[in-house]
Amino acid sequence: MGRSYECSSDFADMSSYLSRCHSCRVERGCFMVYDRPNYMGNQYFMRRGEYADYMSMFGMSDCIRSCRMIPMYRGSYRMRIYERENFGGQMYEMMDDCDNIMDRYRMNNCMSCHVMDGHWLMYEQPHYRGRMMYMRPGEYRNFMNMGWSGARFMSMRRIMDSYY
C-alpha cells in the first residue's frame, strides 16, 4: 500500500524515492535487500513472491534502504573458505551447500573466502540460520571490513537457478 517504486537492478539508496519501504513484491529473479543504504547492514534474500510484512517475518528493525539484484547463474559453483582473516588457517574448497562447517570440516570459523564460481549465501549459524550475507565472485579477506560484526560464518548455500 502507499507509494511504490519499481527497480530491476541494483539500487544503492532508496530514500530519494521512498522515505520508508516496509513491503515489497519480487516479480522476477532474486534480490538481496539491505536495511541500510549502499548495501550495508542486515541482508535478506528474496525470491519471487510478495512480502507484505517482511519486517516481522525476518525480524528487521528498520525498512529496506537498498537492494541488489542477483543475476541468474547456471554454471559450476566453487568457493574456498578459510578459518582466519586474509586467507589464513585451514582452507577447504566447496562445490556444494554446507549446513555446518564444524561437522563437515572440523572448522570453528570461516572468516575469509574466495568465491571463484557462482553466487552464494553465507549464514552466521549452522543449518542456514541467523544473519546472512550474499557473496558473488571475488575475494573477501575480512568480513568485518564489510560491516559484519562478529565476522564468522557457519553454513553456506548456493543460489541455484531453481530459486528463480
Side-chain angles (χ1 to χ4, degrees), residues 101-138:
I101 62 170
M102 182 62 177
D103 289 348
R104 184 183 288 182
Y105 302 118
R106 301 291 175 241
M107 195 171 168
N108 290 325
N109 282 323
C110 171
M111 296 180 72
S112 58
C113 72
H114 179 196
V115 176
M116 282 88 71
D117 299 304
H119 298 262
W120 298 74
L121 289 176
M122 297 180 69
Y123 296 82
E124 174 179 49
Q125 299 171 14
H127 309 291
Y128 317 116
R129 294 167 121 32
R131 294 183 301 170
M132 66 180 76
M133 185 173 280
Y134 166 53
M135 302 294 195
R136 53 189 177 179

Tab-separated table of all heavy atoms in Angstrom, residues 101-138:
chain	number	residue	atom	x	y	z
A	101	ILE	N	29.849	-26.158	8.936
A	101	ILE	CA	31.276	-26.342	8.646
A	101	ILE	C	31.999	-27.055	9.790
A	101	ILE	O	33.004	-27.712	9.566
A	101	ILE	CB	31.992	-25.013	8.304
A	101	ILE	CG1	31.963	-24.034	9.466
A	101	ILE	CG2	31.415	-24.408	7.047
A	101	ILE	CD1	32.859	-22.824	9.274
A	102	MET	N	31.470	-26.982	10.995
A	102	MET	CA	32.085	-27.689	12.117
A	102	MET	C	31.940	-29.195	11.924
A	102	MET	O	32.897	-29.947	12.088
A	102	MET	CB	31.453	-27.237	13.434
A	102	MET	CG	32.045	-27.878	14.646
A	102	MET	SD	33.782	-27.447	14.810
A	102	MET	CE	34.159	-28.255	16.322
A	103	ASP	N	30.758	-29.641	11.567
A	103	ASP	CA	30.526	-31.072	11.361
A	103	ASP	C	31.276	-31.603	10.143
A	103	ASP	O	31.857	-32.675	10.184
A	103	ASP	CB	29.039	-31.369	11.181
A	103	ASP	CG	28.247	-31.202	12.469
A	103	ASP	OD1	28.871	-31.073	13.553
A	103	ASP	OD2	27.008	-31.192	12.401
A	104	ARG	N	31.265	-30.848	9.039
A	104	ARG	CA	31.873	-31.340	7.805
A	104	ARG	C	33.392	-31.227	7.803
A	104	ARG	O	34.087	-32.136	7.387
A	104	ARG	CB	31.323	-30.605	6.592
A	104	ARG	CG	31.888	-31.204	5.298
A	104	ARG	CD	31.444	-30.489	4.061
A	104	ARG	NE	30.042	-30.765	3.770
A	104	ARG	CZ	29.431	-30.276	2.703
A	104	ARG	NH1	30.080	-29.508	1.845
A	104	ARG	NH2	28.158	-30.545	2.491
A	105	TYR	N	33.919	-30.086	8.246
A	105	TYR	CA	35.355	-29.833	8.119
A	105	TYR	C	36.099	-29.743	9.448
A	105	TYR	O	37.305	-29.535	9.457
A	105	TYR	CB	35.590	-28.528	7.344
A	105	TYR	CG	34.980	-28.509	5.979
A	105	TYR	CD1	33.992	-27.591	5.645
A	105	TYR	CD2	35.390	-29.402	4.992
A	105	TYR	CE1	33.433	-27.561	4.375
A	105	TYR	CE2	34.835	-29.387	3.722
A	105	TYR	CZ	33.859	-28.456	3.433
A	105	TYR	OH	33.307	-28.435	2.181
A	106	ARG	N	35.390	-29.829	10.575
A	106	ARG	CA	36.006	-29.616	11.890
A	106	ARG	C	36.619	-28.213	11.975
A	106	ARG	O	37.690	-28.003	12.510
A	106	ARG	CB	37.055	-30.671	12.218
A	106	ARG	CG	36.541	-32.070	12.233
A	106	ARG	CD	35.607	-32.267	13.438
A	106	ARG	NE	35.008	-33.600	13.408
A	106	ARG	CZ	33.695	-33.810	13.329
A	106	ARG	NH1	32.857	-32.800	13.263
A	106	ARG	NH2	33.208	-35.020	13.320
A	107	MET	N	35.902	-27.272	11.422
A	107	MET	CA	36.362	-25.886	11.332
A	107	MET	C	35.478	-25.033	12.239
A	107	MET	O	34.252	-25.069	12.113
A	107	MET	CB	36.236	-25.459	9.861
A	107	MET	CG	36.935	-24.242	9.465
A	107	MET	SD	36.825	-24.143	7.631
A	107	MET	CE	37.379	-22.502	7.398
A	108	ASN	N	36.083	-24.274	13.166
A	108	ASN	CA	35.311	-23.474	14.119
A	108	ASN	C	34.776	-22.175	13.530
A	108	ASN	O	33.776	-21.655	13.996
A	108	ASN	CB	36.166	-23.138	15.343
A	108	ASN	CG	36.439	-24.355	16.180
A	108	ASN	OD1	35.604	-25.240	16.293
A	108	ASN	ND2	37.615	-24.405	16.756
A	109	ASN	N	35.468	-21.619	12.561
A	109	ASN	CA	35.116	-20.323	11.994
A	109	ASN	C	35.392	-20.306	10.504
A	109	ASN	O	36.275	-21.003	10.026
A	109	ASN	CB	35.991	-19.208	12.585
A	109	ASN	CG	35.563	-18.787	13.944
A	109	ASN	OD1	34.380	-18.729	14.240
A	109	ASN	ND2	36.529	-18.480	14.786
A	110	CYS	N	34.679	-19.462	9.811
A	110	CYS	CA	35.031	-19.076	8.447
A	110	CYS	C	35.100	-17.555	8.481
A	110	CYS	O	34.093	-16.889	8.646
A	110	CYS	CB	33.991	-19.548	7.445
A	110	CYS	SG	34.255	-18.879	5.791
A	111	MET	N	36.316	-17.013	8.344
A	111	MET	CA	36.496	-15.573	8.492
A	111	MET	C	36.973	-14.882	7.219
A	111	MET	O	37.134	-13.669	7.189
A	111	MET	CB	37.433	-15.295	9.651
A	111	MET	CG	36.824	-15.776	10.962
A	111	MET	SD	37.848	-15.482	12.393
A	111	MET	CE	37.706	-13.725	12.566
A	112	SER	N	37.210	-15.662	6.155
A	112	SER	CA	37.508	-15.093	4.838
A	112	SER	C	37.195	-16.152	3.794
A	112	SER	O	37.092	-17.342	4.110
A	112	SER	CB	38.963	-14.620	4.740
A	112	SER	OG	39.874	-15.660	4.991
A	113	CYS	N	36.999	-15.719	2.553
A	113	CYS	CA	36.684	-16.675	1.491
A	113	CYS	C	37.059	-16.098	0.134
A	113	CYS	O	37.239	-14.893	-0.025
A	113	CYS	CB	35.219	-17.088	1.521
A	113	CYS	SG	34.063	-15.833	0.971
A	114	HIS	N	37.146	-16.996	-0.833
A	114	HIS	CA	37.373	-16.625	-2.224
A	114	HIS	C	36.322	-17.360	-3.047
A	114	HIS	O	36.353	-18.593	-3.141
A	114	HIS	CB	38.782	-17.014	-2.659
A	114	HIS	CG	39.078	-16.686	-4.078
A	114	HIS	ND1	40.138	-17.214	-4.753
A	114	HIS	CD2	38.451	-15.864	-4.968
A	114	HIS	CE1	40.153	-16.753	-5.992
A	114	HIS	NE2	39.137	-15.937	-6.122
A	115	VAL	N	35.379	-16.605	-3.590
A	115	VAL	CA	34.334	-17.186	-4.435
A	115	VAL	C	34.858	-17.167	-5.864
A	115	VAL	O	35.052	-16.105	-6.443
A	115	VAL	CB	33.014	-16.399	-4.324
A	115	VAL	CG1	31.972	-16.955	-5.275
A	115	VAL	CG2	32.501	-16.397	-2.891
A	116	MET	N	35.107	-18.347	-6.408
A	116	MET	CA	35.588	-18.449	-7.784
A	116	MET	C	34.437	-18.528	-8.779
A	116	MET	O	34.502	-17.931	-9.845
A	116	MET	CB	36.506	-19.669	-7.952
A	116	MET	CG	37.910	-19.466	-7.425
A	116	MET	SD	38.103	-19.854	-5.706
A	116	MET	CE	37.978	-21.599	-5.687
A	117	ASP	N	33.416	-19.295	-8.448
A	117	ASP	CA	32.294	-19.508	-9.374
A	117	ASP	C	30.977	-19.514	-8.621
A	117	ASP	O	30.865	-20.101	-7.546
A	117	ASP	CB	32.445	-20.861	-10.099
A	117	ASP	CG	33.708	-20.937	-10.937
A	117	ASP	OD1	33.889	-20.066	-11.798
A	117	ASP	OD2	34.497	-21.868	-10.708
A	118	GLY	N	29.972	-18.885	-9.199
A	118	GLY	CA	28.631	-18.915	-8.644
A	118	GLY	C	28.360	-17.817	-7.637
A	118	GLY	O	29.222	-16.996	-7.324
A	119	HIS	N	27.139	-17.829	-7.155
A	119	HIS	CA	26.667	-16.863	-6.157
A	119	HIS	C	26.216	-17.666	-4.944
A	119	HIS	O	25.537	-18.675	-5.078
A	119	HIS	CB	25.516	-16.027	-6.727
A	119	HIS	CG	25.938	-15.222	-7.916
A	119	HIS	ND1	26.279	-13.904	-7.823
A	119	HIS	CD2	26.111	-15.565	-9.213
A	119	HIS	CE1	26.641	-13.461	-9.018
A	119	HIS	NE2	26.540	-14.456	-9.880
A	120	TRP	N	26.592	-17.186	-3.761
A	120	TRP	CA	26.398	-17.936	-2.524
A	120	TRP	C	25.741	-17.075	-1.451
A	120	TRP	O	25.904	-15.858	-1.427
A	120	TRP	CB	27.742	-18.400	-1.978
A	120	TRP	CG	28.507	-19.328	-2.867
A	120	TRP	CD1	29.175	-19.022	-4.017
A	120	TRP	CD2	28.707	-20.733	-2.674
A	120	TRP	NE1	29.775	-20.142	-4.536
A	120	TRP	CE2	29.510	-21.203	-3.736
A	120	TRP	CE3	28.301	-21.635	-1.678
A	120	TRP	CZ2	29.892	-22.539	-3.840
A	120	TRP	CZ3	28.693	-22.961	-1.783
A	120	TRP	CH2	29.471	-23.400	-2.856
A	121	LEU	N	25.045	-17.734	-0.527
A	121	LEU	CA	24.578	-17.115	0.707
A	121	LEU	C	25.343	-17.765	1.842
A	121	LEU	O	25.440	-18.996	1.913
A	121	LEU	CB	23.081	-17.355	0.925
A	121	LEU	CG	22.135	-16.603	0.007
A	121	LEU	CD1	20.698	-17.018	0.282
A	121	LEU	CD2	22.290	-15.104	0.166
A	122	MET	N	25.906	-16.944	2.716
A	122	MET	CA	26.628	-17.450	3.881
A	122	MET	C	25.850	-17.039	5.123
A	122	MET	O	25.355	-15.913	5.208
A	122	MET	CB	28.046	-16.908	3.893
A	122	MET	CG	28.823	-17.395	2.680
A	122	MET	SD	30.517	-16.807	2.586
A	122	MET	CE	31.275	-17.666	3.944
A	123	TYR	N	25.766	-17.970	6.079
A	123	TYR	CA	24.948	-17.774	7.271
A	123	TYR	C	25.802	-17.801	8.531
A	123	TYR	O	26.748	-18.576	8.638
A	123	TYR	CB	23.876	-18.862	7.375
A	123	TYR	CG	22.877	-18.836	6.248
A	123	TYR	CD1	23.170	-19.431	5.029
A	123	TYR	CD2	21.649	-18.216	6.405
A	123	TYR	CE1	22.256	-19.410	3.985
A	123	TYR	CE2	20.728	-18.188	5.371
A	123	TYR	CZ	21.039	-18.784	4.169
A	123	TYR	OH	20.135	-18.764	3.137
A	124	GLU	N	25.374	-17.016	9.483
A	124	GLU	CA	26.070	-16.854	10.755
A	124	GLU	C	26.033	-18.137	11.600
A	124	GLU	O	26.965	-18.409	12.348
A	124	GLU	CB	25.373	-15.707	11.485
A	124	GLU	CG	25.782	-15.410	12.857
A	124	GLU	CD	24.991	-14.234	13.409
A	124	GLU	OE1	23.752	-14.200	13.299
A	124	GLU	OE2	25.647	-13.350	13.961
A	125	GLN	N	24.990	-18.916	11.476
A	125	GLN	CA	24.813	-20.108	12.303
A	125	GLN	C	24.682	-21.355	11.423
A	125	GLN	O	24.364	-21.251	10.235
A	125	GLN	CB	23.564	-19.974	13.166
A	125	GLN	CG	23.602	-18.816	14.126
A	125	GLN	CD	22.264	-18.591	14.797
A	125	GLN	OE1	21.371	-19.429	14.761
A	125	GLN	NE2	22.113	-17.434	15.408
A	126	PRO	N	24.890	-22.524	12.008
A	126	PRO	CA	24.672	-23.768	11.245
A	126	PRO	C	23.222	-23.888	10.781
A	126	PRO	O	22.324	-23.236	11.321
A	126	PRO	CB	25.000	-24.865	12.256
A	126	PRO	CG	25.853	-24.209	13.292
A	126	PRO	CD	25.391	-22.781	13.358
A	127	HIS	N	23.020	-24.739	9.788
A	127	HIS	CA	21.695	-25.069	9.251
A	127	HIS	C	20.986	-23.862	8.643
A	127	HIS	O	19.766	-23.731	8.750
A	127	HIS	CB	20.837	-25.761	10.308
A	127	HIS	CG	21.536	-26.921	10.947
A	127	HIS	ND1	21.809	-28.092	10.281
A	127	HIS	CD2	22.084	-27.065	12.186
A	127	HIS	CE1	22.468	-28.912	11.066
A	127	HIS	NE2	22.662	-28.313	12.233
A	128	TYR	N	21.779	-22.963	8.042
A	128	TYR	CA	21.254	-21.826	7.287
A	128	TYR	C	20.372	-20.924	8.146
A	128	TYR	O	19.305	-20.497	7.741
A	128	TYR	CB	20.497	-22.309	6.043
A	128	TYR	CG	21.221	-23.411	5.321
A	128	TYR	CD1	20.676	-24.685	5.201
A	128	TYR	CD2	22.484	-23.189	4.760
A	128	TYR	CE1	21.359	-25.699	4.547
A	128	TYR	CE2	23.170	-24.207	4.106
A	128	TYR	CZ	22.595	-25.447	4.006
A	128	TYR	OH	23.271	-26.459	3.360
A	129	ARG	N	20.849	-20.614	9.328
A	129	ARG	CA	20.107	-19.760	10.255
A	129	ARG	C	20.938	-18.525	10.594
A	129	ARG	O	22.125	-18.474	10.403
A	129	ARG	CB	19.787	-20.522	11.533
A	129	ARG	CG	18.837	-21.690	11.332
A	129	ARG	CD	18.829	-22.569	12.536
A	129	ARG	NE	17.679	-22.864	13.321
A	129	ARG	CZ	16.422	-22.965	12.971
A	129	ARG	NH1	16.060	-22.697	11.781
A	129	ARG	NH2	15.489	-23.307	13.816
A	130	GLY	N	20.243	-17.548	11.170
A	130	GLY	CA	20.912	-16.315	11.596
A	130	GLY	C	21.096	-15.342	10.448
A	130	GLY	O	20.531	-15.499	9.366
A	131	ARG	N	21.895	-14.341	10.699
A	131	ARG	CA	22.142	-13.328	9.674
A	131	ARG	C	22.816	-13.969	8.470
A	131	ARG	O	23.532	-14.949	8.597
A	131	ARG	CB	23.017	-12.211	10.234
A	131	ARG	CG	22.332	-11.415	11.324
A	131	ARG	CD	23.197	-10.285	11.807
A	131	ARG	NE	24.462	-10.796	12.323
A	131	ARG	CZ	25.495	-10.032	12.644
A	131	ARG	NH1	25.422	-8.728	12.485
A	131	ARG	NH2	26.603	-10.558	13.117
A	132	MET	N	22.583	-13.387	7.313
A	132	MET	CA	23.150	-13.924	6.082
A	132	MET	C	23.881	-12.837	5.322
A	132	MET	O	23.644	-11.652	5.534
A	132	MET	CB	22.055	-14.545	5.216
A	132	MET	CG	21.058	-13.549	4.681
A	132	MET	SD	19.765	-14.288	3.652
A	132	MET	CE	18.723	-15.044	4.857
A	133	MET	N	24.763	-13.270	4.428
A	133	MET	CA	25.489	-12.349	3.569
A	133	MET	C	25.589	-12.950	2.173
A	133	MET	O	25.893	-14.124	2.022
A	133	MET	CB	26.876	-12.050	4.121
A	133	MET	CG	27.617	-10.989	3.305
A	133	MET	SD	29.169	-10.477	4.062
A	133	MET	CE	28.577	-9.333	5.295
A	134	TYR	N	25.333	-12.120	1.178
A	134	TYR	CA	25.420	-12.510	-0.233
A	134	TYR	C	26.864	-12.375	-0.694
A	134	TYR	O	27.507	-11.354	-0.483
A	134	TYR	CB	24.502	-11.602	-1.050
A	134	TYR	CG	24.706	-11.648	-2.541
A	134	TYR	CD1	24.680	-12.847	-3.234
A	134	TYR	CD2	24.897	-10.481	-3.264
A	134	TYR	CE1	24.851	-12.877	-4.606
A	134	TYR	CE2	25.062	-10.498	-4.634
A	134	TYR	CZ	25.042	-11.703	-5.305
A	134	TYR	OH	25.206	-11.735	-6.662
A	135	MET	N	27.374	-13.424	-1.332
A	135	MET	CA	28.737	-13.426	-1.863
A	135	MET	C	28.694	-13.727	-3.350
A	135	MET	O	28.178	-14.760	-3.767
A	135	MET	CB	29.588	-14.499	-1.176
A	135	MET	CG	29.686	-14.354	0.306
A	135	MET	SD	30.582	-12.877	0.725
A	135	MET	CE	30.942	-13.174	2.421
A	136	ARG	N	29.233	-12.819	-4.133
A	136	ARG	CA	29.375	-13.040	-5.568
A	136	ARG	C	30.854	-13.287	-5.855
A	136	ARG	O	31.684	-13.134	-4.949
A	136	ARG	CB	28.817	-11.870	-6.344
A	136	ARG	CG	29.354	-10.531	-5.958
A	136	ARG	CD	28.558	-9.446	-6.635
A	136	ARG	NE	29.031	-8.142	-6.222
A	136	ARG	CZ	28.543	-7.031	-6.654
A	136	ARG	NH1	27.567	-7.044	-7.533
A	136	ARG	NH2	29.010	-5.883	-6.242
A	137	PRO	N	31.237	-13.676	-7.057
A	137	PRO	CA	32.654	-13.974	-7.315
A	137	PRO	C	33.572	-12.825	-6.899
A	137	PRO	O	33.309	-11.661	-7.188
A	137	PRO	CB	32.683	-14.220	-8.821
A	137	PRO	CG	31.331	-14.782	-9.114
A	137	PRO	CD	30.401	-13.988	-8.218
A	138	GLY	N	34.613	-13.200	-6.164
A	138	GLY	CA	35.584	-12.227	-5.680
A	138	GLY	C	36.288	-12.729	-4.439
A	138	GLY	O	35.988	-13.801	-3.923
